Short mmCIF file of all heavy atoms in Angstrom, two decimals:
data_model
loop_
_atom_site.label_atom_id
_atom_site.label_comp_id
_atom_site.label_asym_id
_atom_site.label_seq_id
_atom_site.Cartn_x
_atom_site.Cartn_y
_atom_site.Cartn_z
N HIS E 318 -39.06 -0.94 -21.82
CA HIS E 318 -38.73 -2.37 -21.74
C HIS E 318 -40.00 -3.16 -21.42
O HIS E 318 -41.05 -2.58 -21.18
CB HIS E 318 -37.60 -2.63 -20.74
CG HIS E 318 -37.92 -2.35 -19.30
ND1 HIS E 318 -38.17 -1.08 -18.83
CD2 HIS E 318 -38.03 -3.18 -18.22
CE1 HIS E 318 -38.40 -1.14 -17.51
NE2 HIS E 318 -38.33 -2.40 -17.12
N HIS E 320 -41.10 -5.19 -18.97
CA HIS E 320 -41.68 -5.52 -17.66
C HIS E 320 -43.11 -4.98 -17.54
O HIS E 320 -43.44 -3.89 -18.03
CB HIS E 320 -40.81 -4.98 -16.53
CG HIS E 320 -39.56 -5.78 -16.32
ND1 HIS E 320 -38.44 -5.28 -15.68
CD2 HIS E 320 -39.26 -7.05 -16.68
CE1 HIS E 320 -37.50 -6.22 -15.66
NE2 HIS E 320 -37.97 -7.30 -16.26
N ASP E 322 -44.79 -3.70 -15.18
CA ASP E 322 -45.03 -2.40 -14.55
C ASP E 322 -44.63 -1.23 -15.47
O ASP E 322 -44.61 -0.08 -15.05
CB ASP E 322 -44.31 -2.31 -13.19
CG ASP E 322 -42.80 -2.37 -13.30
OD1 ASP E 322 -42.29 -3.23 -14.03
OD2 ASP E 322 -42.13 -1.55 -12.65
N HIS E 323 -44.35 -1.56 -16.74
CA HIS E 323 -44.07 -0.53 -17.75
C HIS E 323 -44.96 -0.68 -18.98
O HIS E 323 -44.98 0.21 -19.83
CB HIS E 323 -42.59 -0.57 -18.16
CG HIS E 323 -41.69 -0.34 -16.99
ND1 HIS E 323 -41.01 0.83 -16.79
CD2 HIS E 323 -41.39 -1.13 -15.92
CE1 HIS E 323 -40.34 0.76 -15.65
NE2 HIS E 323 -40.54 -0.42 -15.11
N HIS E 376 -30.66 -4.07 -17.49
CA HIS E 376 -31.82 -4.43 -16.66
C HIS E 376 -32.65 -5.49 -17.41
O HIS E 376 -32.99 -6.53 -16.85
CB HIS E 376 -32.64 -3.18 -16.38
CG HIS E 376 -33.90 -3.39 -15.62
ND1 HIS E 376 -33.91 -3.75 -14.28
CD2 HIS E 376 -35.20 -3.29 -15.99
CE1 HIS E 376 -35.17 -3.86 -13.88
NE2 HIS E 376 -35.97 -3.59 -14.89
N THR E 377 -32.95 -5.21 -18.68
CA THR E 377 -33.46 -6.24 -19.59
C THR E 377 -32.60 -6.20 -20.85
O THR E 377 -31.89 -5.23 -21.10
CB THR E 377 -34.94 -6.00 -19.99
OG1 THR E 377 -35.03 -4.75 -20.70
CG2 THR E 377 -35.85 -5.98 -18.76
N ASP E 395 -35.97 1.81 -16.39
CA ASP E 395 -35.33 1.19 -15.22
C ASP E 395 -33.83 1.02 -15.44
O ASP E 395 -33.21 0.12 -14.88
CB ASP E 395 -35.95 -0.18 -14.93
CG ASP E 395 -37.34 -0.09 -14.31
OD1 ASP E 395 -37.82 1.03 -14.07
OD2 ASP E 395 -37.95 -1.16 -14.09
N PHE E 406 -31.03 -7.87 -14.42
CA PHE E 406 -31.80 -9.10 -14.61
C PHE E 406 -31.37 -9.87 -15.86
O PHE E 406 -31.29 -11.08 -15.84
CB PHE E 406 -33.29 -8.78 -14.71
CG PHE E 406 -33.92 -8.36 -13.42
CD1 PHE E 406 -34.68 -7.21 -13.36
CD2 PHE E 406 -33.76 -9.12 -12.26
CE1 PHE E 406 -35.28 -6.82 -12.16
CE2 PHE E 406 -34.34 -8.73 -11.06
CZ PHE E 406 -35.11 -7.58 -11.01
N HIS E 433 -39.22 4.92 -11.54
CA HIS E 433 -39.55 4.58 -10.15
C HIS E 433 -39.06 5.66 -9.17
O HIS E 433 -38.02 6.27 -9.40
CB HIS E 433 -38.90 3.25 -9.73
CG HIS E 433 -39.49 2.06 -10.41
ND1 HIS E 433 -40.59 1.39 -9.92
CD2 HIS E 433 -39.13 1.41 -11.54
CE1 HIS E 433 -40.88 0.38 -10.72
NE2 HIS E 433 -40.01 0.36 -11.73
ZN1 ZN O 955 -38.14 -3.14 -15.01
#
Side-chain angles (χ1 to χ4, degrees):
H318 66 294
H320 285 159
D322 64 314
H323 300 254
H376 177 70
T377 63
D395 286 358
F406 289 130
H433 291 273

